[in-house]
Amino acid sequence: MLKIVSVNRGSRSAVTFNDESHATGIFKTPLSGPVAINEFGVVGDVIVDTNVHGGHDQAVYLYHQEDYDWWSAELGRIIEFGAFGENLTLSGMSDIDWRIGDRVSINDVELEITAPRVPCFKLAVKMGDTGFVKMFAKAVRPGAYARVLKPGAVTVGDAFSVTKTVADYATVKSVFVEWHAKEKSKAALEKALASPIASVHRAKLQEWLDQG
């Protein structure tokens, strides 16, 4: 069964990196009861660095119980839901292959997949491992950002359904791999840019394409 196993909301906190303090909203707390989702995501969720996080195109971040199971086995310890900074932790998708443009329906809420999550040092600090960003990139388990097409409310245990796009858009994982590739593929960049990808990602991909 496809269902939500955790709904998570962040508050403003700080992490220390290279002896400097940085504000962040990556620390998420699981919520009980109905949680409202509007065009900007989970109501009350704190987004600190709005240049690269949040906004209409990255309103909700999705991660998967199956990925948590993999990470727990890989790291040899239990990783609690919300640890990756996701808003919704989903279960029931053993073969997670999001394509940009896929849609997720939960009650009245409708989401559209827009991009992979690209981690920064704050995730590494949160996970207590300075090398974790490289591990995350190598694992190719990025989760997915989504824009909110229809607002509503969700709660733990709610079922969801997925409508796969019929368009030949880029997959979330292919964009993630291309993002970290030293040599960029013109064809891969063009395919990603032809997809309804998040604006932050679009700007960077277009820059790489223009650079040739």
Side-chain angles (χ1 to χ4, degrees):
M1 177 182 177
L2 303 179
K3 66 178 182 179
I4 298 174
V5 293
S6 190
V7 181
N8 313 298
R9 182 169 59 204
S11 57
R12 189 182 183 91
S13 58
V15 296
T16 300
F17 182 74
N18 288 342
D19 297 325
E20 294 184 355
S21 180
H22 300 267
T24 181
I26 196 174
F27 290 87
K28 306 293 187 189
T29 301
L31 304 171
S32 59
V35 178
I37 292 179
N38 63 21
E39 60 183 321
F40 294 108
V42 171
V43 172
D45 188 41
V46 171
I47 305 297
V48 173
D49 191 352
T50 54
N51 289 324
V52 292
H53 298 296
H56 291 279
D57 289 346
Q58 299 177 112
V60 179
Y61 178 42
L62 312 176
Y63 211 65
H64 304 272
Q65 179 178 352
E66 291 72 17
D67 285 329
Y68 271 98
D69 294 343
W70 186 90
W71 280 113
S72 293
E74 185 74 7
L75 300 176
R77 58 188 173 94
I78 299 299
I79 310 298
E80 301 292 342
F81 296 149
F84 288 93
E86 78 277 8
N87 301 113
L88 302 181
T89 318
L90 308 180
S91 179
M93 299 182 69
S94 58
D95 182 15
I96 303 161
D97 190 24
W98 290 118
R99 189 174 294 275
I100 295 169
D102 287 348
R103 296 192 175 186
V104 182
S105 298
I106 315 163
N107 303 328
D108 293 331
V109 176
E110 186 171 358
L111 309 174
E112 182 179 58
I113 301 299
T114 60
R117 188 263 190 84
V118 179
C120 69
F121 69 90
K122 293 176 183 178
L123 178 61
V125 174
K126 187 175 187 298
M127 298 300 288
D129 184 348
T130 56
F132 192 78
V133 170
K134 290 184 178 179
M135 291 178 62
F136 192 84
K138 184 178 179 181
V140 194
R141 293 174 178 269
Y145 280 120
R147 60 175 62 94
V148 179
L149 301 180
K150 295 180 182 178
V154 302
T155 192
V156 171
D158 282 347
F160 69 91
S161 61
V162 176
T163 303
K164 302 293 290 183
T165 179
V166 297
D168 187 27
Y169 292 142
T171 66
V172 167
K173 288 183 178 179
S174 69
V175 174
F176 185 77
V177 169
E178 189 64 24
W179 194 278
H180 292 92
K182 291 183 179 179
E183 298 293 330
K184 305 301 182 187
S185 162
K186 182 174 182 290
L189 292 173
E190 289 177 338
K191 185 169 185 175
L193 288 166
S195 308
I197 197 167
S199 58
V200 170
H201 297 70
R202 178 176 297 280
K204 190 63 179 179
L205 295 170
Q206 186 66 57
E207 178 186 331
W208 283 328
L209 184 63
D210 293 343
Q211 290 172 351

